Amino acid sequence: MSSRLVGVGVGPGDPELVTVKGVNALRAADVVVVPVMDTGERGRAEATVLHYVPSDKVVRVVFALNERTDRARREAAWDAAGERVAVLLREHGSVAFATIGDPNVYSTFTYLAQTVAALVPGTVVETVPGITAMQDLAARSGAVLTEGTEPLTLVPVTAGAAVLKDALNGPGTVVAYKFGRQAAEVAEALRDSGRLDDAVWGSALGLPEESVRPAAELDGAPLPYLSTLIAPARRAGGRGGKL
């Protein structure tokens, strides 16, 4: 029987935002893998998973989650993680990988699945979608992501502030991920594009330390790495004006 690797999106942090299908996938797997950094502290994915499966079913695997500059170290971490999961697949047959947000949106699962597929030929790879941070922030802040014919642009600020500036000068709503370390540049881009007043940012959504604030309060101080920003589209014409 083929090995089965399932990437399960467990949402941005609030355990209540894991879908029923996601919970069923976690419970059905023989082993649930959660990513951790080499510092060893419990991450959001692990904390969420432990609401639904016993700890003896959870296996922590180290990833270079925030490594951006040392490609050799990042590649070595992916290889080591892939080898570890490959061993688990050979031993158990069914492995779920829990990832915050959605497994097909800027997720470590993408790289893991590519690595494992090469190591264990014939592995069936599946994904279970999860609630994303932009959806959760929209709900918690009251920001509307899209109306009518508006586009929606998602930008990881790790790609550079210039990419965000280009998006803000375009149409529609702009969402920025992972902008905490470049909060000053993000605030400047919002001001320059005239989109500061309506924008909102949030971090640690659904957790005790949650913060949801107007972007106008950004003072340039660094924020948590996984902070999310929503800059809603410029809207005029009243209800249905973008239809």
Side-chain angles (χ1 to χ4, degrees):
M1 184 177 293
S2 298
S3 299
R4 184 166 174 262
L5 176 63
V6 185
V8 181
V10 296
D14 183 346
E16 292 185 341
L17 291 180
V18 184
T19 67
V20 173
K21 187 170 184 176
V23 171
N24 289 340
L26 294 172
R27 290 175 174 168
D30 298 323
V31 172
V32 178
V33 170
V34 294
V36 296
M37 293 189 292
D38 53 12
T39 50
E41 70 264 24
R42 178 178 293 175
R44 292 190 197 180
E46 181 178 5
T48 303
V49 164
L50 289 174
H51 280 79
Y52 298 105
V53 299
S55 59
D56 59 3
K57 187 175 176 176
V58 176
V59 176
R60 310 173 98 218
V61 175
V62 174
F63 285 81
L65 295 171
N66 294 340
E67 181 57 66
R68 296 287 168 186
T69 57
D70 190 336
R71 179 165 184 168
R73 177 176 178 271
R74 185 173 67 237
E75 295 278 356
W78 287 346
D79 289 342
E83 292 280 2
R84 181 74 178 99
V85 174
V87 169
L88 292 171
L89 279 168
R90 295 186 188 107
E91 292 176 348
H92 300 281
S94 175
V95 174
F97 179 87
T99 178
I100 60 171
D102 182 278
N104 294 305
V105 180
Y106 300 129
S107 172
T108 303
F109 180 73
T110 301
Y111 315 120
L112 176 68
Q114 292 171 354
T115 305
V116 169
L119 293 171
V120 188
T123 297
V124 175
V125 177
E126 302 173 357
T127 57
V128 177
I131 301 295
T132 61
M134 64 178 167
Q135 293 169 287
D136 196 13
L137 179 57
R140 294 176 187 277
S141 67
V144 175
L145 288 171
T146 56
E147 288 185 10
T149 58
E150 294 171 352
L152 174 64
T153 303
L154 176 59
V155 176
V157 182
T158 49
V163 177
L164 175 62
K165 290 179 181 180
D166 288 343
L168 288 170
N169 287 322
T173 293
V174 176
V175 176
Y177 274 4
K178 304 177 184 179
F179 82 92
R181 295 174 184 169
Q182 294 173 269
E185 292 93 330
V186 168
E188 179 184 2
L190 288 167
R191 279 192 292 269
D192 290 348
S193 62
R195 301 183 71 169
L196 181 64
D197 291 343
D198 294 330
V200 62
W201 71 270
S203 65
L205 301 174
L207 302 176
E209 63 272 28
E210 173 185 295
S211 180
V212 176
R213 311 290 296 175
E217 295 182 8
L218 289 171
D219 59 6
L223 302 174
Y225 173 71
L226 290 178
S227 295
T228 298
L229 173 88
I230 297 175
R234 300 177 179 93
R235 297 183 177 116
R239 183 176 62 184
K242 292 296 184 73
L243 292 176

